[in-house]
Amino acid sequence: MTPDKPLRADARRNRARILAAAEEVFAEHGDAASTEEVAARAGVAIGTVFRHFPTKRDLLAAIMKDLRARLVDRAQSLAAEGDPATALFDYFGFLVESSARIGTVVSLLAEEGTSVEPGEQVRALTDRFGAFLEAARDAGTVRPGVRLDEVMALLTATVHGAVAGAWSDDLRHRTVARVLDALRAAEGPGTRKPRGTDSCAGLRSWGE
């Protein structure tokens, strides 16, 4: 497959299925993940997997690239159509959950000789979080005095902990809920209550 040649529609669908299946298989089985399992879960032939991704490193790198694209797409969607009062919290939870899913991929890339620092992925989205923070301030849903560098520090620490510590789903959900609660404005007279807000509002948005 020529890298610069546009893929046909059916090839794009196959590629997307392979990436989604591989992300699941690597998360479940780690280095023991097999091409056969990826192909079976994606519903394609093994040869199709190899045509798109000749080596394991190619596949792992593509998963990371796909994650970055999803993060950008989600930010754009929230900016265009999301509730300004909750976008900051939704995106925080989405980013942590999405990053945690590829923790095994990060480790395997490191073993393959490609170091991936989750913090770098987070910092690349600082401007997005800055806009969401401003919107939350205007809506009165974030605590007074919360600064962007504090939000990014909390986010980076949470992502790093979830990925490097291989937190369980339960621990990750509880930790993110605690962090988001610490950022939210206390309810009181004149405080706007964003629709659908609770401790896990950001978590429920994942995968929607």
Side-chain angles (χ1 to χ4, degrees), residues 71 76 81 91 105 108 114-115 120 130 142 145 149 159 174:
L71 293 178
Q76 292 174 339
E81 304 171 1
Y91 198 48
V105 173
L108 291 174
T114 303
S115 178
E120 294 178 2
V142 68
D149 58 352
V159 168
R174 286 187 287 111

Side-chain angles (χ1 to χ4, degrees), residues 22 24-35 38 56-57 60 103-105 107-112:
E24 292 178 356
V25 173
F26 280 119
E28 293 171 12
H29 302 295
D31 195 38
S34 67
T35 307
V38 171
K56 183 171 73 172
R57 180 181 292 184
L60 295 171
T104 300
V105 173
S107 298
L108 291 174
L109 276 170
E111 293 175 5
E112 291 283 319

Side-chain angles (χ1 to χ4, degrees), residues 170-189:
D170 179 62
L171 175 58
R172 188 172 66 253
H173 294 167
R174 286 187 287 111
T175 300
V176 172
R178 293 290 187 190
V179 173
L180 294 181
D181 281 346
L183 293 174
R184 286 194 179 93
E187 292 183 29

Side-chain angles (χ1 to χ4, degrees), residues 14-89:
N14 283 342
R15 188 179 190 280
R17 285 199 294 266
I18 292 168
L19 285 174
E23 187 173 313
E24 292 178 356
V25 173
F26 280 119
E28 293 171 12
H29 302 295
D31 195 38
S34 67
T35 307
E36 290 81 2
E37 176 64 19
V38 171
R41 198 167 300 193
V44 300
I46 293 177
T48 301
V49 176
F50 284 119
R51 278 198 299 275
H52 285 277
F53 310 104
T55 69
K56 183 171 73 172
R57 180 181 292 184
D58 292 331
L59 180 54
L60 295 171
I63 291 173
M64 290 298 303
K65 183 177 180 180
D66 186 63
L67 170 64
R68 288 191 290 269
R70 292 204 308 269
L71 293 178
V72 171
D73 289 346
R74 181 63 174 175
Q76 292 174 339
S77 176
L78 284 171
E81 304 171 1
D83 183 354
T86 60
L88 172 70
F89 310 107

